[in-house]
């Protein structure tokens, strides 16, 4: 549980990630969002460029026929004229191709930025991130927000724009192939049969047959790629844990254990990768066979009419090129199968994550007078925090502790005591709205500022001043005020380092971190302060000094402390004894 300071209840009106379980439910929100004008403007521009490039490809198909005929006829003047036309067109094509990629990348990032903002708000809003970890609802949210959203925006645009260009190209070149390919006539069973536009039908049969085989061979890759993304994220998270806890691991001499754990996770990556390799090998056999056969197939089916003198060599090459374009367009599914597999796996992970975040908000949302799990939280126009027949339980429903009725008034000093595992820290989580398991109710003053200090408070990476003023921004308090509270907590040596950036959890000793947390409290001056073994790393002298400071400087703040040491009992005027399940707490 990390330190927090906020008036309660805290609400966020920002739209959550979509709850729809369809891929369209993930795609649609951005295109009707506040950024819709820029999004559609870029999209339309890219589509126009794509259509222009398709027109260029149609022109180049006709140009090839003329160019090859000029070569066969040894027509020099016509050859040079066609070459100049191509040079000019090539420069235009290069410019269009460059800006198509440039604008698409711009649109991809704008979409990703919008998605990231919304998913971050949904994940962090209403403490969903805490509940997802607490209840183990989803693996690796960081990977889904950082990698999956980027992949989703990129692949969705690439596939959809590619499909649009492919459809336009298909209809453009079908017309060409139907016209110049002509009809095929043959005699069978005493009758003459004619197949109009037979080259188009050959291209369709070739592409559809290949697509069917490709799907049958490669469809298991969807689930395998989904699993690969998960195990890769697990491996990366494990390495981050080693980096974050390097000192503790070194002190325990736990290198071999961490290496063994990393190797075990990597074994799952290896096993899943072998499955990917197996199916990809089969897929590549089909793809490469299809691609190589596509080079010679149009010449085979067009050769009877060519040898019959139905068209020139230039037209034959034009037919082969048009056939390749039509069959390639019809083979869009084959050519993009790997991307489709990756896209589908990404969509599945984002759908799952969106559903979990949405359900977490709906189930755990804190609002005045509504049920918060099994514990009913009310925000009332009173000064005191009050419990009514409060009973704490474990997530599986097992009773943990019966608190009953207590009243925490402004300026009160409560000491919570009891055996380990009785539910002392859980009580503070219930006060924070983080523990819905149990029965009873808690009345919380509306607008009251609360602050929770765990045994190890969270220190963000950045300047010392930002770590001290957290969760407020660094410019909320003056440097003079920060230096004064540091000196009060016997951290005067850090007064000149407020602008220094570091990983302060690693720089400060546990005792210094707890004194820094106390200095943070002196800055924020909360209405209710909850301390969960927040001075356990301090020597008796420094611990007494910190409690004396809190009592003197925050006379109106209600303080609730969870602690085992007898030495701090004198700083409290009320005591709550929490017994194990089956016995009622005594105030």
């Amino acid at each position: 549980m990390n330190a927090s300071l906020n008036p309660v209840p805290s609400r966020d009106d920002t739209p959550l990630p979509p709850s729809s379980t369809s891929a369209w439910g993930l795609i649609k929100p951005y295109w009707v969002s506040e950024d819709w004008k820029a999004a559609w403007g870029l999209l339309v521009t890219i589509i126009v460029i794509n259509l222009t490039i398709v027109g260029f490809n149609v022109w180049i198909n006709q140009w090839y026929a003329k160019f090859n005929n000029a070569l066969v006829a040894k027509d020099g003047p016509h050859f040079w004229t066609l070459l100049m036309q191509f040079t000019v067109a090539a420069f235009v094509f290069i410019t269009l191709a460059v800006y198509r990629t440039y604008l698409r990348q711009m649109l991809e990032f704008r979409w990703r930025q919008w998605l990231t903002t919304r998913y971050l708000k949904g994940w962090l809003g209403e403490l969903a991130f805490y509940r997802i970890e607490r209840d183990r609802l989803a693996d690796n949210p960081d990977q889904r927000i950082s990698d999956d959203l980027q992949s989703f925006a990129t692949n969705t645009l690439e596939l959809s724009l590619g499909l649009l260009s492919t459809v336009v190209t298909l209809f453009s070149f079908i017309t060409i192939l139907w016209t110049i390919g002509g009809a095929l006539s043959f005699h069978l069973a005493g009758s003459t049969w004619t197949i109009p536009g037979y080259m188009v039908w050959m291209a369709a049969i070739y592409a559809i047959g290949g697509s069917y085989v490709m799907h049958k061979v490669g469809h298991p890759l969807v689930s395998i790629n989904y699993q690969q993304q998960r195990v890769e994220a697990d491996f990366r998270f494990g390495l981050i844990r080693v980096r974050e806890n390097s000192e503790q691991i070194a002190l325990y001499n736990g290198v071999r254990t961490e290496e063994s754990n990393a190797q075990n996770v990597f074994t799952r990556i290896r096993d899943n990768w072998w499955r990917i390799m197996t199916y990809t090998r089969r897929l590549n056999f089909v793809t490469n066979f299809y691609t190589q056969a596509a080079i010679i197939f149009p010449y085979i089916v067009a050769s009877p009419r060519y040898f019959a003198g139905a068209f020139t060599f230039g037209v034959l090459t034009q037919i082969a090129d048009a056939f390749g374009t039509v069959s390639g367009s019809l083979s869009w599914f084959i050519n993009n199968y790997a991307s489709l597999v990756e896209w589908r796996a990404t969509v599945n992970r984002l759908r799952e994550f969106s559903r979990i975040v949405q359900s977490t908000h709906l189930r755990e949302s804190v609002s005045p007078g509504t049920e918060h799990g099994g514990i009913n939280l009310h925000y009332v126009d009173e000064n005191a925090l009050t419990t009514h027949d409060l009973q704490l339980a474990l997530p599986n429903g097992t009773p943990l502790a019966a608190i009953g009725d207590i009243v925490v008034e402004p300026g009160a000093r409560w000491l919570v005591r009891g055996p380990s595992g009785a539910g002392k820290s859980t009580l503070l989580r219930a006060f924070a709205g983080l523990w819905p398991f149990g029965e009873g109710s808690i009345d919380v003053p509306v607008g009251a500022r609360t602050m929770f200090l765990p045994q190890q408070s969270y220190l963000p990476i950045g300047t010392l001043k930002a770590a001290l003023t957290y969760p407020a921004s660094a410019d909320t308090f003056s440097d003079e005020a920060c230096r004064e509270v540091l000196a009060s907590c016997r951290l005067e040596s850090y007064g000149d380092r407020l602008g220094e950036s570091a990983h302060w959890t690693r720089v400060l000793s546990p005792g210094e971190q707890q004194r820094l947390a106390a200095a943070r409290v002196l800055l924020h001056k909360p209405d209710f302060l909850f301390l969960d073994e927040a001075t356990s790393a301090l020597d008796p002298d420094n611990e007494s000094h910190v409690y004396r400071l809190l009592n003197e400087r925050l006379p109106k703040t209600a303080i609730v402390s969870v602690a085992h040491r007898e030495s701090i009992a004198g700083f409290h005027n009320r005591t709550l004894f929490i017994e194990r399940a089956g016995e009622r707490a005594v105030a």
Side-chain angles (χ1 to χ4, degrees):
M1 179 170 58
N2 293 323
S4 64
L5 183 74
N6 59 286
V8 291
S10 175
R11 305 295 296 168
D12 189 347
D13 296 328
T14 304
L16 299 176
S19 60
S20 172
T21 56
S22 67
W24 177 242
L26 297 176
I27 296 172
K28 178 184 175 181
Y30 174 65
W31 301 96
V32 294
S33 70
E34 69 282 356
D35 199 39
W36 71 271
K37 291 183 179 180
W40 282 102
L42 285 169
L43 182 63
V44 170
T45 302
I46 295 168
I47 290 174
V48 170
I49 292 176
N50 280 343
L51 296 180
T52 304
I53 289 177
V54 170
F56 174 84
N57 290 330
V58 171
W59 177 84
I60 202 68
N61 175 265
Q62 299 168 348
W63 179 88
Y64 267 123
K66 298 175 183 178
F67 187 74
N68 286 324
N69 284 332
L71 287 174
V72 172
K74 298 182 179 180
D75 186 348
H78 196 199
F79 168 84
W80 290 109
T81 299
L82 291 171
L83 204 59
M84 289 298 297
Q85 291 176 358
F86 178 83
T87 302
V88 174
F91 278 111
V92 175
F93 175 83
I94 291 171
T95 302
L96 291 174
V98 168
Y99 275 94
R100 175 179 63 178
T101 301
Y102 176 77
L103 294 176
R104 192 182 70 189
Q105 288 177 333
M106 182 186 298
L107 180 55
E108 286 172 6
F109 191 81
R110 292 184 72 100
W111 192 2
R112 178 193 178 186
Q113 182 178 14
W114 187 90
L115 286 169
T116 300
T117 299
R118 268 53 187 182
Y119 272 76
L120 278 176
K121 287 184 179 294
W123 180 53
L124 297 174
E126 302 289 2
L127 302 179
F129 69 96
Y130 169 78
R131 296 178 178 114
I132 288 172
E133 293 301 317
R134 181 194 66 195
D135 301 337
R136 300 179 182 179
L137 299 176
D139 63 277
N140 303 298
D142 53 308
Q143 186 238 11
R144 304 192 194 215
I145 293 175
S146 61
D147 294 347
D148 288 351
L149 289 180
Q150 186 272 334
S151 178
F152 174 72
T154 298
N155 288 340
T156 301
L157 279 176
E158 183 176 336
L159 291 170
S160 57
L161 289 172
L163 179 60
L164 176 62
S165 295
T166 297
V167 170
V168 175
T169 299
L170 174 64
F171 283 102
S172 299
F173 279 85
I174 276 182
T175 303
I176 295 173
L177 190 59
W178 187 285
T179 302
I180 64 177
L184 177 65
S185 298
F186 58 93
H187 297 281
L188 181 64
S191 300
T192 300
W193 299 81
T194 301
I195 304 176
Y198 82 104
M199 290 296 295
V200 173
W201 298 114
M202 291 296 101
I205 292 171
Y206 186 80
I208 293 172
S211 297
Y212 175 78
V213 174
M214 177 70 70
H215 177 66
K216 296 298 290 184
V217 171
H219 76 89
L221 280 171
V222 174
S223 60
I224 297 175
N225 268 278
Y226 177 96
Q227 183 64 19
Q228 188 68 19
Q229 292 177 3
R230 177 175 182 173
V231 294
E232 291 282 5
D234 289 341
F235 182 66
R236 183 172 62 247
F237 178 73
L239 298 181
I240 293 173
R241 288 277 297 166
V242 172
R243 189 186 69 189
E244 293 290 333
N245 299 278
S246 57
E247 183 176 4
Q248 294 93 319
I249 293 171
L251 290 173
Y252 274 108
N253 195 22
V255 173
R256 290 189 177 181
T257 300
E258 294 301 325
E259 182 180 1
S260 176
N261 291 339
Q263 288 292 349
N264 289 337
V265 176
F266 193 78
T267 297
R268 297 202 295 270
I269 294 178
R270 181 200 63 194
D271 294 343
N272 203 73
W273 187 254
W274 276 107
R275 296 177 65 199
I276 290 178
M277 289 172 57
T278 300
Y279 281 97
T280 302
R281 179 186 61 193
R282 299 174 187 175
L283 206 58
N284 282 336
F285 269 120
V286 175
T287 302
N288 284 287
F289 178 83
Y290 179 89
T291 302
Q292 294 302 315
I295 298 174
I296 196 67
F297 187 76
Y299 290 99
I300 294 175
V301 295
S303 59
R305 298 195 71 233
Y306 172 71
F307 289 122
F311 41 72
T312 64
F313 175 74
V315 173
L316 176 63
T317 58
Q318 186 181 7
I319 289 174
D321 180 69
F323 182 95
T325 302
V326 170
S327 63
S329 298
L330 291 171
S331 304
W332 181 87
F333 179 78
I334 290 179
N335 298 331
N336 292 276
Y337 197 86
S339 297
L340 285 167
V341 165
E342 180 183 351
W343 179 81
R344 190 62 186 175
T346 299
V347 166
N348 288 343
R349 287 179 60 80
L350 289 176
R351 286 166 52 195
E352 179 187 45
F353 186 59
S354 296
R355 177 182 55 79
I356 289 171
V357 170
Q358 189 70 266
S359 64
T360 301
H361 279 253
L362 293 176
R363 185 176 68 253
E364 302 276 6
S365 180
V366 179
S367 57
T370 61
E371 290 293 329
H372 180 69
I375 298 177
N376 192 15
L377 266 68
H378 295 282
Y379 297 94
V380 297
D381 292 324
E382 302 290 344
N383 293 326
L385 185 150
T386 308
T387 68
H388 301 282
D389 196 23
L390 180 63
Q391 299 181 53
L392 304 176
L394 297 176
N396 61 9
T398 302
L400 183 61
I403 305 301
D405 301 340
I406 62 172
V407 179
V408 182
E409 299 174 334
R413 302 291 189 263
W414 280 81
L415 177 61
V416 182
R417 307 185 69 176
S420 179
K424 301 184 297 298
S425 297
T426 303
L427 174 61
L428 300 194
R429 293 189 181 97
F431 286 148
L434 301 180
W435 197 261
F437 312 108
E439 297 178 0
S441 63
I442 302 175
D443 291 345
V444 182
V446 172
R449 298 188 308 157
T450 61
M451 198 165 194
F452 293 80
L453 264 61
Q455 193 170 21
Q456 182 178 10
S457 289
Y458 173 67
L459 301 179
I461 299 174
T463 65
L464 179 61
K465 186 177 180 182
L468 175 61
T469 62
Y470 185 86
S473 61
D475 57 4
T476 304
F477 302 96
S478 66
D479 290 355
E480 291 73 17
C482 291
R483 293 191 185 96
E484 193 279 327
V485 295
L486 286 175
S488 298
C489 294
R490 299 177 177 176
L491 292 171
E492 55 275 343
S493 61
Y494 290 95
D496 295 329
R497 302 175 64 179
L498 290 174
E500 181 180 335
S501 294
H503 194 324
W504 294 104
T505 303
R506 297 178 179 177
V507 173
L508 302 177
S509 69
E512 288 175 325
Q513 292 180 45
Q514 290 190 341
R515 280 182 280 158
L516 184 72
R520 181 187 289 171
V521 172
L522 296 179
L523 278 180
H524 286 286
K525 297 180 175 62
D527 299 311
F528 291 87
L529 174 62
F530 300 89
L531 307 173
D532 188 3
E533 298 284 355
T535 58
S536 59
L538 300 179
D539 59 84
D541 179 54
N542 274 310
E543 184 177 50
S544 298
H545 177 71
V546 166
Y547 267 99
R548 193 175 299 111
L549 274 176
L550 295 178
N551 283 340
E552 292 174 355
R553 296 201 179 189
L554 304 175
K556 296 182 180 180
T557 298
I559 299 178
V560 179
S561 301
V562 171
H564 291 282
R565 291 179 182 173
E566 294 287 345
S567 57
I568 67 170
F571 297 100
H572 301 80
N573 53 26
R574 299 294 302 273
T575 302
L576 176 66
F577 290 95
I578 296 182
E579 303 293 341
R580 296 185 185 277
E583 300 182 20
R584 196 172 187 84
V586 179

